[in-house]
Amino acid sequence: MEEYPTGFRFYPTEEELISFYLHNQLLGLKQDKIHRVIPVLHIFDTEPWNLPQLAGELCREDKEQWFFFAPMQEREARGGRPSRSMTTGYWKATGSPGYVYSSENKVIGVKKSMVFYVGKAPKGRKTQWKLNEYRAIELSPTNPNSSSSNISIPKLKREYTLCRVYVVSGTSRAFDRRPLEAVAGETTIQGGGCAAGTGSGSGGGGCGDVPSSGVVGGDAGSSNQWEVASLEEPMWDWDQLNWL
């Protein structure tokens, strides 16, 4: 394996994930290189805390996020709903699916967010394991024999999805890798009109908040430490996007 500088990591944008990685996977191109960072895996058959060790060889040591291509399930190919449950828990949609845009402000895909629950639905315990599921959009002519064939309609590509798995720390310390308990009693420093501390959420002090992408230390197999406050129920599911 190649040697990379300290701090080097795979950190693609959503546009790169869909326009390059997912599209090449759907077309069967550049497989050897792409699978070194994003392997193919039936992700919904595996507990999230076991996924990091199954990540691509160039991303296996990453502590923040991991990427996988999830092939279409057989039940989905037959027209059914995909299964996101396993013996230890299940993935549940949160919020609403949203579009992913290119740098030219064109819709290139759809993103759906999920959170992992330990236990049986609907009484499982929410964890801090989250997943973004990306689907590419294919533009196809409305009617090849029509004079208006230049008019295209969007259609979701379902052969593969690209999944980004990550852990939510609940703090704004995106680049501070210390466990939360190590800084629980840290004193907040006031001065200069802004505060530097370890507050969490939108009320956390600081000269500039950064996205929550840190990782909670400890054993990922322990479900208790991944519990967080409840999230809103999904407004709709993929089946309601069939018009695409």
Side-chain angles (χ1 to χ4, degrees):
M1 186 187 304
E2 298 92 337
E3 292 292 332
Y4 293 98
T6 300
F8 180 89
R9 56 178 49 83
F10 182 60
Y11 208 82
T13 64
E14 291 187 328
E15 179 180 6
E16 291 167 338
L17 286 175
I18 292 178
S19 296
F20 180 80
Y21 290 97
L22 185 51
H23 272 288
N24 274 293
Q25 175 65 25
L26 290 166
L27 295 173
L29 303 175
K30 306 180 186 294
Q31 302 288 278
D32 292 341
K33 293 183 178 179
I34 287 178
H35 290 170
R36 297 187 68 191
V37 287
I38 309 180
V40 176
L41 182 72
H42 290 279
I43 190 172
F44 298 113
D45 294 338
T46 306
E47 288 81 2
W49 47 84
N50 291 327
L51 291 174
Q53 61 188 354
L54 301 175
E57 60 178 287
L58 299 183
C59 301
R60 208 160 292 160
E61 300 303 319
D62 202 318
K63 304 299 181 183
E64 295 183 335
Q65 58 182 353
W66 308 270
F67 301 87
F68 302 91
F69 291 119
M72 178 188 292
Q73 298 178 6
E74 290 185 10
R75 59 188 299 172
E76 188 178 6
R78 295 194 298 266
R81 295 171 62 90
S83 173
R84 300 189 178 98
S85 300
M86 56 200 75
T87 56
T88 56
Y90 56 96
W91 290 98
K92 182 179 179 180
T94 178
S96 305
Y99 291 122
V100 178
Y101 294 87
S102 70
S103 54
E104 288 79 27
N105 203 32
K106 296 181 179 179
V107 176
I108 57 174
V110 178
K111 177 177 71 174
K112 182 175 184 179
S113 296
M114 288 175 258
V115 63
F116 190 77
Y117 285 73
V118 173
K120 298 293 184 181
K123 298 182 179 181
R125 298 193 309 275
K126 191 180 273 82
T127 74
Q128 286 187 331
W129 286 96
K130 295 195 70 176
L131 181 151
N132 290 340
E133 183 181 60
Y134 298 94
R135 292 182 188 267
I137 285 180
E138 176 186 40
L139 294 178
S140 56
T142 54
N143 185 352
N145 299 321
S146 172
S147 59
S148 60
S149 59
N150 59 329
I151 301 177
S152 299
I153 55 175
K155 177 183 177 183
L156 284 176
K157 298 284 290 182
R158 298 182 178 273
E159 293 87 349
Y160 286 94
T161 62
L162 196 159
C163 298
R164 170 182 175 253
V165 180
Y166 60 103
V167 177
V168 178
S169 69
T171 77
S172 60
R173 300 178 304 106
F175 300 105
D176 189 342
R177 302 301 192 267
R178 291 174 295 171
L180 293 180
E181 58 271 16
V183 293
E186 192 170 278
T187 303
T188 299
I189 301 175
Q190 301 288 344
C194 62
T198 59
S200 61
S202 60
C207 297
D209 290 337
V210 291
S212 298
S213 60
V215 175
V216 177
D219 181 8
S222 175
S223 63
N224 291 335
Q225 65 182 11
W226 303 119
E227 295 178 20
V228 294
S230 61
L231 301 173
E232 60 180 312
E233 295 295 322
M235 293 179 63
W236 65 73
D237 208 332
W238 286 115
D239 292 346
Q240 293 175 280
L241 293 174
N242 285 339
W243 58 272
L244 290 173

